[in-house]
Every structure is written in structure tokens, then in C-alpha cells.
């Protein structure tokens, strides 16, 4: 029998010879596939043959030989039979939020000229996704196909391999069983759960941000026009006659290009900043909050960059590292969500590397999810505000998340430091909903920054 294993997706171009082999070692492996029934028949047959020889009973000898030969015949038939079976796996979808289900579709195709016997399928699934699925398929006719499916679900984010698929063949009498594995597997990405956020307006420094867009005007006068070649469908009112005469072909003025407002989402991943672990920990809340902010800001038309305390920025390409301006928003969101699915604690001690990434003063809106910070890190965060248009911080005191108590006085002092530096800073109590804090941050910003002219985030 030959199996064709399918790499991730629907391809099936990886062939594995599932027959034990042509040498004695392969035959011993086939004999090792005897089931309990087959071993029992073989033992009973040998015992009956010995007793018949000792007692001189010919009829008992024939019965013993029949019992002993039957499992050996089944081994030989299964050993010599060659099938060609192609398998594929399809995930729907490949990326799911924490707590949501994904369906895995398995397809087996018999591409040989012989019908198969009874097939038993088993897919390898990490224990976090649930029990290992097993299926029994009746004989598959030549050129036939069988499809089965199962569901997986995880309460933990991450990337989990599914597979390889394991195929088990039985003879009609259940005397022998051969097991072969496909070599391909798929990857399921479980991303943080996101929360819909309400529309909130911040008023601040850079006019034109309104709905997350501003116009990039390239024209200071008629002499500064940068024309381009006329394209079918262009408005003839945009024809630039001076350039047309100069180049000898019809030229038109470039349109004003919409430029998206920028937003940096900062996630503090320092191990020393968070205590506890598990789905209900402060760190997981921060990761989920960052994911919610990323998705929301992209939906509102912002160019977004995900930044961690290590200085790593995602996606790192595009308009100075921001996604959404030159990339499709859904693609950008997927890239950052994949990063958040596997983000873990860092061994860093501070936020200085993230501060270095915020080089200039045109970084747009800064949204930070930080853990426990001391005076030194609060000072670094205060300087970050000077390199952004507006800044909002959600500060998590992981100690209160472990005890379920009130926010400590030290946290209130850190919030005061951040607010004095221009941050809109809020403490995150255990079990808080980001949507409510988001609304509260908008109200605080409207009250404390009414005189600023910075545009809105919503």
C-alpha cells in the first residue's frame, strides 16, 4: 500500500510507501502488526497442533493448522497488497480567536485500481485543542473518496500543529493491523480574543486627522506640479497643458493623495512587569487589549504599527513601519494578530528600546498597554509622550489581578506621573472591560485636552 500525504492546504504530492518492506525485517514488522485476535488464533493453533501430535489426533491437528495459518495468511495478504491513498486536510478557518471553534476537514482518495479494506484514521491534535479524533471508514472503491470532519477549540492563544494523519489498515478478519503516517501537517493559529470598541474622539495637536485621514498636498503653486501621463478615464479638467507641451504627450495633474493618520500600539511584555499566568492573567488581558486596539484603529482608517518593549515592530515594512497605508487593512490586521498569537514574555528590564523606536515627533497616536512600572520606567514612558501626538496608557497592576484587591497606591502615583507628562492614563482593575475603559479614556481626553488641536481616534 502506498499513501500520498497532503501538505498544508489541499495538495497531495508527498508519497510514502506504507508496505513493511521486502526484507526479513519488514516481514517481522508485518508480523508485529498481529492484533490480539490474530495472536490468539496463532497461539491456539500452535497449542492444538502440539496436543494433536502428542495425542495422535489427526482431526485436531487439522484444526490447529487452520487456526495457526489463518492469521499468517492475513498478514501475507495485507503485506503484499498495495494501495495508493491520497489524504488532504483543510482548516476552516486557519485563524480563530481564543474560545472559538475551527473545523478540520479530512479527505481520503483511493487513487489505486483496487478497493481498500477497512480504514481507520487518526489525526494528531495537541491536547490543548481537545481529544484526538478517530474515524473508521468502510472500504473505499477504486477511485473513490471519503470525507470526514471534526472540530477543535482552544482557550489558549498560540500556533498549534495538526497532524500528521495516521492511517491504520485491517484485514477482513481483524487478524492484522498495519499503521502508517502521512508526513504533512497544518498549522492552526489561535489569536487573542478582540473586543468591539465604541467610537471615541480625541482632540489634539495635528489638524486634519478627523476620521483618521488627511490630505497630502504636493502643490505649493503651478510650478510645483508633478504631472503624470494621461490614463484612460482621467478627467480632462486635470490636464496640465504646460507639461503636455513640454513632453509632447498628454499629461495630467496628480490627485491629492489621502494620507492615513498614524497609530502605534505599544505592548509591554516584560516578565518582571506581570505576575501570574493563564487565560485570566493580567498579561493575557494586555495582549487581548492590544489586539482589540489594533483591529479597531485599522478599521477606522489609521496606519497602525505594533510595538513591543523589545523594540520589535510589526509589520516593519511599508510607510516607515506602519501598516494600512500601502497594505490592505485585513492583511495588516492578520499579520499583527499572528504576532500577538505567539507573543510571550521578554527578559527585558525596561522600555528604553521601545522609546528608541519612537524617533521623531510625528509618530501620531500612541496607545500603550503596560504592566508594573517603577519610577525609572515611568520617566521613560513620560518621554515617549513627547514623541507622539497624543498618548493613552492602560496600566495593569498584576498584583491586584492575583489578589483581586484594589489598585495599589504606587500605581496611582505612576498614573499621576504619566498624566503630568501628557498621557491619558487609566488603571486596569481585574476583569475590567476594555470598551468601558476606552470610553472613559475618551472622556478624560476631552476634558483635559479641550484646548489641543490633535485629531481624533475613534
Amino acid at each position: 500500500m502506498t499513501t500520498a500525504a497532503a501538505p498544508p492546504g489541499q495538495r497531495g504530492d508527498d508519497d510514502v510507501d506504507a508496505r513493511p518492506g521486502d526484507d526479513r525485517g519488514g516481514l517481522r514488522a508485518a508480523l508485529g502488526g498481529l492484533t490480539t485476535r490474530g495472536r490468539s488464533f496463532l497461539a491456539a493453533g500452535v497449542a492444538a497442533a502440539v496436543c494433536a501430535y502428542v495425542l495422535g489426533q489427526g482431526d485436531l491437528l487439522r484444526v490447529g493448522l487452520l487456526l495457526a495459518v489463518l492469521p499468517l495468511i492475513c498478514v501475507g495478504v495485507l503485506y503484499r497488497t498495495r494501495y495508493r491513498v491520497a489524504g488532504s486536510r483543510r482548516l476552516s478557518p486557519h485563524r480563530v480567536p481564543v474560545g472559538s471553534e475551527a473545523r478540520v476537514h479530512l479527505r481520503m482518495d483511493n487513487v489505486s485500481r483496487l478497493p481498500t479494506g477497512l480504514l481507520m484514521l487518526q489525526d494528531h491534535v495537541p491536547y490543548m485543542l481537545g481529544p484526538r479524533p478517530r474515524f473508521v471508514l468502510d472500504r473505499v472503491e477504486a477511485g473513490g473518496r471519503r470525507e470526514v470532519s471534526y472540530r477543535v477549540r482552544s482557550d489558549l492563544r498560540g500556533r498549534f500543529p495538526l497532524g500528521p494523519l495516521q492511517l491504520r489498515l485491517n484485514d477482513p478478519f481483524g487478524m492484522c493491523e498495519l499503521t502508517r503516517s502521512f508526513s504533512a501537517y497544518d498549522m492552526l493559529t489561535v489569536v487573542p480574543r478582540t473586543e468591539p470598541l465604541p467610537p471615541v474622539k480625541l482632540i489634539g495637536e495635528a489638524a486634519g486627522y478627523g476620521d483618521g485621514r488627511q490630505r497630502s498636498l504636493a502643490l505649493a503653486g503651478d510650478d510645483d506640479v508633478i504631472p503624470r501621463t494621461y490614463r484612460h478615464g482621467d478627467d480632462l479638467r486635470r490636464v496640465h497643458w504646460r507639461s503636455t507641451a513640454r513632453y509632447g504627450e498628454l499629461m495630467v495633474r496628480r490627485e491629492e493623495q489621502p494620507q492615513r493618520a498614524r497609530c502605534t500600539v505599544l505592548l509591554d511584555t516584560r516578565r518582571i512587569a506581570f505576575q501570574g499566568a493563564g487565560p485570566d492573567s493580567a498579561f493575557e488581558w494586555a495582549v487581548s487589549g492590544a489586539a482589540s486596539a489594533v483591529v479597531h484603529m485599522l478599521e477606522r482608517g489609521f496606519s497602525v504599527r505594533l510595538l513591543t518593549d523589545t523594540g520589535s515592530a510589526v509589520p516593519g515594512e511599508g510607510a516607515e513601519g506602519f501598516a494600512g497605508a500601502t497594505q490592505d487593512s485585513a492583511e495588516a490586521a492578520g499579520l499583527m494578530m499572528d504576532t500577538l498569537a505567539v507573543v510571550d514574555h521578554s527578559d527585558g528590564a525596561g522600555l528604553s528600546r521601545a522609546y528608541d523606536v519612537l524617533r521623531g515627533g510625528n509618530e501620531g497616536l500612541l496607545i500603550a498597554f503596560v504592566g508594573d512600572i517603577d519610577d525609572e520606567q515611568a520617566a521613560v514612558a513620560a518621554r515617549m509622550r513627547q514623541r507622539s501626538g497624543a498618548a493613552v496608557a492602560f496600566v495593569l497592576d498584576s498584583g491586584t489581578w492575583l489578589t483581586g484587591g484594589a489598585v495599589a497606591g504606587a500605581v496611582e502615583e505612576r498614573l499621576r506621573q504619566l498624566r503630568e507628562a501628557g498621557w491619558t492614563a487609566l488603571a486596569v482593575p481585574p476583569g475590567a472591560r476594555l470598551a468601558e475603559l476606552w470610553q472613559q479614556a475618551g472622556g478624560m481626553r476631552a476634558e483635559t485636552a479641550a484646548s489641543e488641536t490633535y485629531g481624533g481616534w475613534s
Side-chain angles (χ1 to χ4, degrees), residues 19 22-23 175 237 263 345 425 448 457:
R19 203 174 62 170
D22 298 325
D23 54 6
M175 300 287 182
R237 290 175 295 182
C263 174
H345 290 292
T448 60
W457 61 292

Side-chain angles (χ1 to χ4, degrees), residues 111-371:
V111 294
S112 65
R113 299 180 180 179
L114 297 174
T116 68
L118 191 67
L119 300 179
M120 290 186 290
L121 299 180
Q122 176 177 278
D123 209 7
H124 289 265
V125 173
Y127 72 93
M128 293 82 72
L129 301 183
R132 183 169 295 180
R134 295 178 175 86
F135 303 95
V136 177
L137 303 181
D138 208 349
R139 56 181 287 152
V140 182
E141 65 279 4
R145 174 188 302 173
R146 297 290 184 272
E147 294 185 6
V148 293
S149 65
Y150 63 93
R151 296 179 179 180
V152 290
R153 178 182 180 274
S154 175
D155 292 326
L156 299 174
R157 57 183 176 82
R159 300 188 71 208
F160 304 100
L162 299 177
L165 185 65
Q166 192 177 67
L167 180 65
R168 303 167 75 180
L169 285 176
N170 277 16
D171 66 278
F173 299 101
M175 300 287 182
C176 184
E177 176 181 281
L178 295 182
T179 301
R180 290 295 176 267
S181 294
F182 291 74
S183 60
Y185 63 93
D186 283 275
M187 196 68 69
L188 175 68
T189 303
V190 181
V191 300
R193 184 186 291 109
T194 58
E195 183 178 349
L197 302 180
V200 173
K201 197 82 166 180
L202 285 184
I203 301 174
E205 296 170 354
Y209 273 52
D211 294 329
R213 297 177 184 269
Q214 63 181 0
R215 289 288 179 179
S216 176
L217 301 178
L219 308 181
D222 191 59
D223 293 336
D224 296 324
V225 172
I226 303 177
R228 61 170 174 82
T229 305
Y230 174 84
R231 299 171 186 167
H232 179 72
D234 284 338
D235 190 345
L236 292 178
R237 290 175 295 182
R238 292 171 45 219
V239 173
H240 191 255
W241 297 109
R242 181 179 298 179
S243 298
T244 299
R246 178 184 302 174
Y247 295 107
E249 57 179 330
L250 202 58
M251 307 292 289
V252 297
R253 295 182 178 88
R254 293 181 183 271
E255 293 180 335
E256 296 176 351
Q257 299 298 322
Q259 179 180 345
R260 297 190 179 191
R262 293 177 174 180
C263 174
T264 297
V265 178
L266 172 62
L267 175 62
D268 182 8
T269 64
R270 295 173 299 138
R271 190 180 305 275
I272 61 175
F274 294 94
Q275 303 178 43
D280 298 326
S281 65
F283 180 68
E284 291 301 323
W285 192 98
V287 173
S288 179
S292 300
V294 162
V295 173
H296 181 74
M297 301 309 290
L298 283 172
E299 290 176 350
R300 298 304 301 174
F302 278 70
S303 295
V304 181
R305 172 179 59 186
L306 176 65
L307 179 65
T308 67
D309 59 287
T310 62
S312 301
V314 180
E317 298 178 358
E320 298 182 17
F322 289 84
T326 58
Q327 291 177 278
D328 180 72
S329 294
E331 178 184 351
L335 179 60
M336 285 182 272
M337 293 296 284
D338 287 346
T339 301
L340 290 172
V342 296
V343 70
D344 201 357
H345 290 292
S346 70
D347 296 326
L351 303 173
S352 58
R353 292 184 179 179
Y355 171 76
D356 293 337
V357 176
L358 303 174
R359 300 183 182 88
N362 189 26
E363 297 297 332
L365 177 64
L366 175 60
I367 305 174
F369 296 85
V370 297

